[in-house]
Amino acid sequence: MNTLSVRSDVVFNPSMSNTDRHGLIAKTVRDSGGATVQELAELTGASEMTIRRDLDTLATQGVLERVRGGARTLLLRGEEPPFALRAQDAVDAKRRIAAEVAALIADGESVLLDSGTTCLEVARILRERHVTVMPLSLQAIRLLGETPGHADLLMPGGRPRAAEGALTGPLALASLAALRFDTAVIGCCGLSAADGLTAYDLDDAAVKKAGIASARRVVLAADGGKLGRTAHAHVGPATLLHTLVTDTTASAEEVDALEAVGSNVKIV
Amino acid sequence: MNTLSVRSDVVFNPSMSNTDRHGLIAKTVRDSGGATVQELAELTGASEMTIRRDLDTLATQGVLERVRGGARTLLLRGEEPPFALRAQDAVDAKRRIAAEVAALIADGESVLLDSGTTCLEVARILRERHVTVMPLSLQAIRLLGETPGHADLLMPGGRPRAAEGALTGPLALASLAALRFDTAVIGCCGLSAADGLTAYDLDDAAVKKAGIASARRVVLAADGGKLGRTAHAHVGPATLLHTLVTDTTASAEEVDALEAVGSNVKIV
DNA sequence: TGATTTCAAACATCATTCGTGTTCGTTAGA
DNA sequence: TCTAACGAACACGAATGATGTTTGAAATCA
């Protein structure tokens, strides 16, 4: 919220790990829209040279934009926050949601796994389970394709969208049309009883729609921040969902409204 | 060949890096079919504990099989050598072949990239080029899917075969049927003028066949050891190939025979 | 069963790598 | 032109990884 209060928490904290510092820098730049190298050096207690290196790293990761003298946020009104940035948000809630989603899936099932950070956490859990998984993002494919784990991997086709690695396009749609799944685990950018399920990207929305159509059961994994929000691309009405898993930050009215239209809501 | 000559090269060489040692262990076990921990410790000058750790590592990588007291080769007559093992062979030749193959490809082309170690080297080069690439193995997808590089990635569907990560099955075939490529870079297990192109695995052969059918031009990347050999699964006649890139270890008679049936052969 | 070998966990040691800060010459903007 | 910002180069300390030794458990063989 307030940059000053953040500062007072951490000034003169010499035992800050580089990961902590990166997080703090990212948060500061995001909250205030931008920061100078000097400010960040003072804020974190690190040298300016270290801050410059941090900013280069974070810029490479797509967390922020490097400008002369400091860094600027990548967030613009109405645009989807970059993947690398969202991945840091609400990690705990996402993990809990993912655990609950995984608990809904029985051994032997075939599972369609949407793109997005929450679904990536689901992949991390399903990797150790005896299930067949088709992931719709490069990140999840990388995770499941590496040696350990018991899950059977099924690859969809498609063109990966930059950064996020979500698979879209005719090849992805064709892969989905050719298969049927026991469960589709879907993520979204917005969900409300009024506007239904929405995504930031048209291609993404088309893939989600096809995924939902190819599954016997649809589980939506969405942290509380997604509820009541509406993004640009419409996927379908909330009645398409069989189960919604969200966390305690979800607005109670929205949950009630969704339950009223027939969704089974689980709050973790 | 001869274990003793190998030993005399390296005994009492204390400045051996762990990678060197791993290579020597792998080679020794492969050449002699197996070795004890004691032998390997004496051979490399490392302690038995270190050898055990090495063997565990190599076993996890699929290079050899751990047995009580030592390790055994995974190579059995008639079986395809494991991917992790082949990947260490003739790295230099594969690199040179890959460079030549990449030189045949112009910017802007769409390229189909087969599975296999040589094609993986091609992927490493194409990553920096302005081309559209559809790789048929998880390894290459991982390589191309990571952030750097200019190449456009197109994902095929399919089921990855264990270890090697080659994509096969109806989804892979459907992805290929839906597209046309400027160039298909194909690997193989055997090639001869008489028996044509062959692979170890039926599913693999079907994918190669579909890939060849979907490309305007077919480039085969095969080190010299593949020429004159025949594997179980038939892909098609050598006349399907437009260009063959191989290395100087290729048998001259086989090269002549292939040129006689119309192939354009490049030796690097 | 008992003896012997093999194994793996735990700890110590050493080399290497990584992160960081400082300095200094260069570069980009005002 | 002048000044702040930058990045390359070096130095230093901490963290990490590789290795060897010891020790007790487990597996194999007689």
Side-chain angles (χ1 to χ4, degrees):
Chain A
M1 310 293 173
N2 156 340
T3 316
L4 279 175
S5 74
V6 172
R7 290 192 180 190
S8 61
D9 286 338
V10 294
V11 171
F12 305 132
N13 178 357
S15 65
M16 186 186 302
S17 86
N18 60 353
T19 316
D20 291 347
R21 198 179 56 240
H22 284 187
L24 178 61
I25 291 173
K27 179 167 168 36
T28 305
V29 170
R30 187 179 6 157
D31 288 351
S32 59
T36 68
V37 171
Q38 278 187 0
E39 284 170 11
L40 293 169
E42 193 184 341
L43 170 63
T44 61
S47 74
E48 297 192 3
M49 191 63 230
T50 298
I51 296 296
R52 286 198 188 93
R53 282 187 275 239
D54 288 344
L55 293 181
D56 289 345
T57 303
L58 292 168
T60 306
Q61 292 174 359
V63 175
L64 44 74
E65 184 188 7
R66 189 78 168 81
V67 293
R68 191 175 177 81
R72 225 173 37 187
T73 179
L74 284 165
L75 247 65
L76 301 172
R77 273 186 67 80
E79 276 188 14
E80 181 178 16
F83 183 82
L85 205 156
R86 276 180 297 137
Q88 306 178 338
D89 286 346
V91 177
D92 257 22
K94 284 177 205 294
R95 292 245 167 90
R96 285 200 309 276
I97 291 172
E100 177 65 24
V101 168
L104 293 171
I105 293 168
D107 274 14
E109 281 197 27
S110 60
V111 180
L112 177 69
L113 201 56
D114 198 9
S115 55
T117 50
T118 311
C119 291
L120 191 59
E121 292 298 326
V122 177
R124 223 180 285 281
I125 301 173
L126 289 184
R127 179 170 54 167
E128 309 300 334
R129 299 273 304 276
H130 289 274
V131 290
T132 300
V133 182
M134 179 183 272
L136 288 169
S137 79
L138 279 186
Q139 270 94 356
I141 286 170
R142 195 174 309 154
L143 188 67
L144 291 162
E146 273 150 30
T147 36
H150 303 99
D152 238 18
L153 174 62
L154 205 56
M155 299 263 306
R159 181 181 286 276
R161 280 176 53 208
E164 171 140 7
L167 295 169
T168 59
L171 280 179
L173 296 177
S175 302
L176 293 174
L179 295 164
R180 289 295 174 273
F181 298 90
D182 292 308
T183 303
V185 177
I186 304 289
C188 71
C189 305
L191 172 71
S192 70
D195 292 327
L197 198 58
T198 47
Y200 279 108
D201 181 271
L202 272 177
D203 293 328
D204 241 4
V207 170
K208 285 179 205 299
K209 202 180 293 189
I212 290 171
S214 69
R216 202 165 48 77
R217 176 176 63 157
V218 177
V219 176
L220 190 83
D223 58 81
K226 309 284 176 62
L227 267 65
R229 275 174 60 185
T230 299
H232 300 322
H234 190 249
V235 177
T239 52
L240 290 175
L241 311 177
H242 299 100
T243 306
L244 161 66
V245 181
T246 187
D247 63 283
T248 48
T249 66
S251 123
E253 303 99 62
E254 199 57 48
V255 168
D256 288 347
L258 285 164
E259 282 183 325
V261 300
S263 293
N264 176 18
V265 181
K266 283 184 190 295
I267 299 176
V268 295
Chain B
M1 304 291 174
N2 160 339
T3 315
L4 280 175
S5 75
V6 172
R7 291 194 179 192
S8 61
D9 286 337
V10 295
V11 171
F12 305 132
N13 178 356
S15 66
M16 187 186 304
S17 86
N18 61 351
T19 316
D20 291 346
R21 198 180 55 242
H22 283 187
L24 179 60
I25 291 173
K27 179 168 168 35
T28 306
V29 170
R30 186 177 9 155
D31 288 352
S32 59
T36 69
V37 171
Q38 277 188 2
E39 283 169 12
L40 292 170
E42 193 184 339
L43 171 63
T44 60
S47 74
E48 297 192 4
M49 192 63 230
T50 298
I51 296 295
R52 287 201 186 91
R53 282 187 275 239
D54 288 343
L55 293 181
D56 289 346
T57 304
L58 293 167
T60 306
Q61 292 173 358
V63 175
L64 45 75
E65 186 188 5
R66 190 78 168 82
V67 293
R68 191 175 175 81
R72 222 171 42 184
T73 179
L74 283 166
L75 249 64
L76 300 174
R77 274 186 67 80
E79 275 190 15
E80 181 178 16
F83 183 82
L85 206 157
R86 276 180 297 137
Q88 304 179 338
D89 286 346
V91 178
D92 257 22
K94 285 177 205 292
R95 292 246 167 90
R96 285 200 309 276
I97 291 172
E100 178 64 24
V101 168
L104 293 171
I105 293 167
D107 273 14
E109 281 197 27
S110 59
V111 180
L112 177 69
L113 202 56
D114 198 9
S115 56
T117 50
T118 311
C119 292
L120 192 58
E121 292 298 327
V122 177
R124 223 180 286 280
I125 301 173
L126 288 184
R127 178 170 54 166
E128 308 301 333
R129 299 272 305 277
H130 288 275
V131 291
T132 300
V133 181
M134 179 185 270
L136 288 170
S137 79
L138 279 186
Q139 270 91 357
I141 287 170
R142 196 173 309 154
L143 187 68
L144 292 162
E146 273 152 29
T147 37
H150 302 100
D152 240 17
L153 174 62
L154 206 54
M155 299 263 307
R159 181 181 287 276
R161 280 176 52 207
E164 172 141 4
L167 295 169
T168 59
L171 280 179
L173 296 177
S175 301
L176 293 174
L179 295 164
R180 288 297 173 271
F181 298 91
D182 292 307
T183 304
V185 177
I186 303 290
C188 70
C189 305
L191 174 70
S192 71
D195 291 328
L197 198 58
T198 47
Y200 279 107
D201 180 271
L202 272 177
D203 293 328
D204 242 4
V207 170
K208 285 180 205 298
K209 202 180 294 189
I212 290 171
S214 69
R216 203 165 49 77
R217 176 176 63 158
V218 177
V219 176
L220 190 83
D223 58 80
K226 308 284 175 64
L227 267 66
R229 274 174 59 185
T230 300
H232 300 321
H234 190 247
V235 177
T239 52
L240 289 176
L241 312 175
H242 299 100
T243 305
L244 161 66
V245 180
T246 187
D247 64 281
T248 49
T249 66
S251 121
E253 303 99 62
E254 198 57 49
V255 168
D256 289 347
L258 285 164
E259 283 183 324
V261 301
S263 292
N264 175 19
V265 182
K266 283 184 190 295
I267 299 175
V268 294

